[in-house]
Amino acid sequence: MIVIDSHGAILSFSAAAERMFGYAEGDVAGQNVKMLMPDPDREAHDAYMDRYMTTGVARIIGIGRVTTARRRDGSNFPIELSIGDADTPHGRVFTGFIRDLSERQRTERRLNDLQVELSHISRVSAMGSLAAALAHELNQPLTAIANYMEGARDLLDTPDAAALEMVREALDEAAGQSIRAGQIVRRLRDFIARGESEKHIESLRRLVTEANALALTGTGVAAIDVSIRLDSLADDVLVDRIQIQQVLLNLIRNAVEAIQGAGQRQLSGPGHGAARRRIEIRSRADGDDMVVITVADSGPGLSHTIQQHLFEPFQTSKEQGMGLGLSISRTIVEAHGGRIWAEPADIGGAAFHFSLVRAAAAQHPDD
């Protein structure tokens, strides 16, 4: 538990807080509580306090949320934060109740690793079954196409009127079999995509902040500034929370890996430095029906060759990657009625955008 005054100065710092953050109460008493926050919260904290004291409009007071805190040694860790306020004879005070989620997330990661391994085995098995099904279903039309084409080729050795008529028939039959093969593939694809996820109205701000805290945990990103700017007027979305957070996790971790993979090359040269190591997460309303979320990084960007096949399965620029993350993300986003795309970012690297249906639009489709 931490108690602060209306200016953000720390009044009380519990023994549990001392163990959690690595500071003694005497070290932090009177200091601004933003010293316990990483960017971007550290940078925005004073403005948030001033806005609340002026307008009385709360963003997180009275609402628990998952975010990130900063220890004395500079390391970041995930927390669950609940804030309450009260008027006292000495002025307004704010009480923060903080729970360290590191152990819970380590447990979740261990379970997730097991689930990923099981999922991998399941995917391999499914791919084997799919390959067998495709081989069985496509064998007949492909064999027929080959036979018709070989017969047409032989008939062209004696190209009289009768032979040309038979060639024409053979080509018509080959075209028909190719259409049949395409229909088989489409039926399989539709069968795989048939399942619908259970969607609920969710706060986009909560989805982003929770996914960001989880994505940055344990990645050694103390030197990366993360800026989160979300449109408060386009906050409610109709989604499957787990699936959309999986998309966000994938995009944020890709951004971190892009920056870390660039190494010192991105930090060398005049005018660079910490500002080059940056991730921006933004949202904006797209008409009355959709909201667009952007995850941009200051990494090296995407080559033209990679960008052409970015969302195709088994296409990756990572040494250890399977090339499925962005393909799965595209499937999830499209199943939610949106789309996903990439383009160069205005901060130097790549920007991934995806759209979601706003809850108001889903509730009133005829408006």
Side-chain angles (χ1 to χ4, degrees):
M1 183 178 71
I2 300 173
V3 181
I4 65 172
D5 64 17
S6 59
H7 301 290
I10 296 174
L11 303 177
S12 174
F13 201 71
S14 71
E18 290 181 325
R19 292 191 298 271
M20 186 181 295
F21 288 91
Y23 290 102
E25 184 174 25
D27 297 331
V28 300
Q31 300 292 321
N32 193 306
V33 72
K34 68 183 181 182
M35 69 183 290
L36 306 177
M37 306 174 186
D39 285 331
D41 291 338
R42 179 198 298 255
E43 189 177 316
H45 179 262
D46 289 345
Y48 172 77
M49 289 286 293
D50 291 342
R51 182 171 59 248
Y52 176 69
M53 296 301 296
T54 302
T55 67
V57 177
R59 295 280 183 88
I60 62 170
I61 293 174
I63 304 172
R65 70 158 180 163
V66 175
T67 185
T68 308
R70 190 176 184 88
R71 295 189 182 93
R72 182 170 191 162
D73 62 8
S75 61
N76 298 337
F77 65 105
I79 61 169
E80 185 175 48
L81 172 65
S82 297
I83 300 176
D85 67 331
D87 290 317
T88 74
H90 303 289
R92 180 167 291 186
V93 298
F94 299 85
T95 303
F97 298 92
I98 301 166
R99 187 157 65 101
D100 186 347
L101 298 180
S102 299
E103 184 56 41
R104 190 181 85 178
Q105 289 197 354
R106 277 193 290 268
T107 301
E108 288 177 349
R109 281 200 300 276
R110 285 195 294 270
L111 292 173
N112 184 64
D113 289 343
L114 178 59
Q115 290 172 342
V116 167
E117 184 62 27
L118 292 173
S119 176
H120 172 67
I121 295 171
S122 176
R123 284 200 306 270
V124 171
S125 176
M127 287 169 62
S129 300
L130 179 59
L134 280 172
H136 175 75
E137 293 289 337
L138 294 176
N139 182 64
Q140 184 176 349
L142 292 178
T143 300
I145 290 171
N147 290 337
Y148 284 126
M149 298 304 290
E150 288 176 1
R153 181 194 61 201
D154 293 340
L155 288 168
L156 288 175
D157 291 338
T158 56
D160 54 26
L164 290 177
E165 182 61 29
M166 293 177 67
V167 167
R168 196 172 288 110
E169 292 178 6
L171 293 177
D172 288 342
E173 292 293 338
Q177 291 297 319
S178 68
I179 292 172
R180 180 187 171 195
Q183 290 172 339
I184 291 171
V185 172
R186 280 193 295 275
R187 282 204 309 271
L188 285 170
R189 183 183 62 192
D190 293 342
F191 174 76
I192 292 168
R194 189 175 298 160
E196 294 185 358
S197 57
E198 187 174 353
K199 300 180 179 68
H200 301 281
I201 297 175
E202 302 283 354
S203 164
L204 184 58
R205 177 173 294 276
R206 180 181 177 186
L207 294 177
V208 169
T209 53
E210 288 185 0
N212 182 60
L214 182 58
L216 299 184
T217 300
T219 57
V221 293
I224 297 179
D225 291 330
V226 180
S227 171
I228 300 177
R229 292 184 286 116
L230 304 177
D231 185 347
S232 60
L233 299 180
D235 186 57
D236 288 338
V237 288
L238 187 68
V239 298
D240 181 302
R241 180 176 64 86
I242 299 299
Q243 290 189 359
I244 294 304
Q245 285 194 325
Q246 185 61 43
V247 173
L248 288 163
L249 277 169
N250 185 50
L251 295 182
I252 296 170
R253 284 174 174 166
N254 282 353
V256 171
E257 291 173 8
I259 293 174
Q260 291 177 329
Q264 294 302 314
R265 293 192 303 275
Q266 296 296 325
L267 299 177
S268 61
H272 292 276
R276 292 281 295 173
R277 300 171 64 85
R278 186 172 181 82
I279 295 173
E280 291 187 357
I281 306 172
R282 307 186 298 268
S283 72
R284 60 175 176 83
D286 184 14
D288 296 329
D289 300 337
M290 308 295 288
V291 58
V292 174
I293 302 93
T294 298
V295 178
D297 66 73
S298 60
L302 300 168
S303 70
H304 178 68
T305 303
I306 292 175
Q307 194 161 348
Q308 281 184 310
H309 306 283
L310 198 56
F311 297 100
E312 297 177 9
F314 309 111
Q315 300 292 328
T316 181
S317 59
K318 303 176 187 177
E319 292 182 4
Q320 304 298 325
M322 287 186 64
L324 290 173
L326 290 177
S327 175
I328 292 171
S329 295
R330 182 181 66 176
T331 300
I332 291 173
V333 170
E334 290 180 351
H336 279 74
R339 66 186 185 96
I340 185 169
W341 70 99
E343 59 188 16
D346 54 12
I347 58 174
F352 285 83
H353 314 272
F354 68 96
S355 57
L356 296 173
V357 176
R358 294 172 64 177
Q363 290 173 313
H364 307 287
D366 297 329
D367 290 350

